[in-house]
Amino acid sequence: MAATIGMFSDLKEIKRQLLSVTWLCRERGLMNSVKWASELAFSLESVPLNELPSTPALTEEDAQDLDAYMLAKSYFDLKEYDRAAYFLRGCKSQKAYFMYMYSRYLSGEKKKDDETVDSLGPLEKGQVKNEALREVRVELSKKHKARELDGFGLYLYGVVLRKLDLAKEALDVFVEATHVLPLHWGTWLELCNLITDKEMLKFLSLPDSWIKEFFLAHIYTELQLIEEALQKYQSLIDAGFSKSTYIISQIAVAYHNIRDIDKALSIFNELRKQDPYRIENMDTFSNLLYVRGLKPELSYLAHNLCDIDKYRVETCCVIGNYYSLRSQHEKAALYFQRALKLNPRYLGAWTLMGHEYMEMKNTSAAIQAYRHAIEVNKRDYRAWYGLGQTYEILKMPFYCLYYYRRAHQLRPNDSRMLVALGECYEKLNQLVEAKKCYWRAYAVGDVEKMALVKLAKLHEQLNESEQAAQCYIKYIQDIYSCGEIVEHQEVSTAFRYLAQYYFKCKLWDEASACAQKCFNFNDTREEGKALLRQILQLRNQSESPSAEPATAPFFLPQSLSANNTPTRRVSPLNLSSVTP
């Protein structure tokens, strides 16, 4: 923490660096990096006129290429990439050469996207490729071997290598680029796409620049290491970036990833007040509103974004979520398809479209959509989980086991993945593994409060009545202790089982308490009444001292019959040390 604050001791110098790199990126058409650096610079105090950084000095080569560069840059800004590249042929300066190669690369990407959307539709699997990649790679490779590439040239070379699936070579080039030009945020983002786990991160030799702290916070969020990410972002706020809307949005996304919905919603609402015309991350905000079922708020957000820019992918996704919440799944899928026409590589739209096809029972289209999402980002646990659900519907348990395992690897502490794995193992009759998964799901904090019930039913199936009773007691205690209104259908199942369990053990008081609780539920009311009559009958018969009840180590406290709040916690099962 102290080291982090020391790194940010001179915020004026950091602001000057941000302003300088903003200028450099703008000259090269790298507008996402310009936006990031500008937003960060805006959050810091203004720099006096005499302390502002000077514009980069022109070299002799820059001066010679200036006319061609200015003409080509005007075409580039209008997305006329082939035209820009044509007028930059033969330019010698680093800046003009980068623009020449970048224009060729973007031209190929644009043609690929157009062909994907126009010819194949968003769900076809076609092998459309950027035809310019190989030529651009050959030329950049020669320059790289001759050590003639600057930081921006290395960035572009890395991007081309990654697009050609040469991940190892791309990683090395991006690391080299961070050393040559540490302040270019685009390079760090590309590096994030190639890092698969924390171990891989440890072995990278990265420059000790203040921007590395932003990178670490970002990659921790991507790797679902949310606690570490939030610590990093908090240290950046303490260092002087408290007004940064970028950091606020990243914290909101982090809370969204750990399903702390109330906290995430609160931060997003605050972000909207600070930056009311922001569209970035609003699709994530809409996911939270969707989960909470907040139709009026989601409707307002959709209309608001439509007024700002209806042709942004985030806007289309928000509208899609709105129609999905209204159960108009065909319309929702249409808007997600519209988002993909705008950007075929937009991860969220592929995943959400997969969900909609699942709702429409179109499993083949759902599988295609989820597979596209994984192609875009292999770390998207929602797509892996969606594939698992799809194959579960198709009754292919070995397939869904594989996909649920992948989702669990990405989200090891998400109880939903563990419960899904447990159900899979149960269908495959691997009951020991299923038990481990259900217990682990309970141990990490069961979101849906179903793991203990499933574990109890498994024990029932195996005639392990004591363990089943223990699980049902834990389940009831957890449901009541968190102050929820008892709408869980399995609560009645738990009380019915416990009433019968205590009845078999001849513990009449406990059996009576549970049987009375059965009166609260329609499906168990008659059974509860019948059991109470039997208990009354047997109590009258067993008044003699010779009738001793069987021992039962598990019981609900007497207070339960009075006030719904259990006070005793039973000891955990012996599976707690085993993880799937």
Side-chain angles (χ1 to χ4, degrees), residues 189 192-193 195 216-226 229 250 253 257 347 377 379-380 410:
L189 278 184
C192 283
N193 292 327
I195 295 170
L216 289 174
H218 187 91
I219 190 64
Y220 287 155
T221 307
E222 288 288 305
L223 295 174
Q224 305 296 328
L225 302 168
I226 304 300
Q250 286 296 105
V253 168
N257 288 355
L347 172 65
N377 184 359
R379 290 197 298 263
D380 182 24
L410 292 164

Side-chain angles (χ1 to χ4, degrees), residues 151-167:
F152 292 110
L154 288 167
Y155 158 74
L156 180 57
Y157 184 38
V159 168
V160 171
L161 290 171
R162 185 175 73 79
K163 290 279 183 181
L164 291 167
D165 295 324
L166 300 168

Side-chain angles (χ1 to χ4, degrees), residues 518-529:
C518 290
F519 292 1
N520 297 334
F521 308 97
N522 292 332
D523 58 332
T524 55
R525 188 172 293 137
E526 294 306 317
E527 287 179 70
K529 287 178 183 177

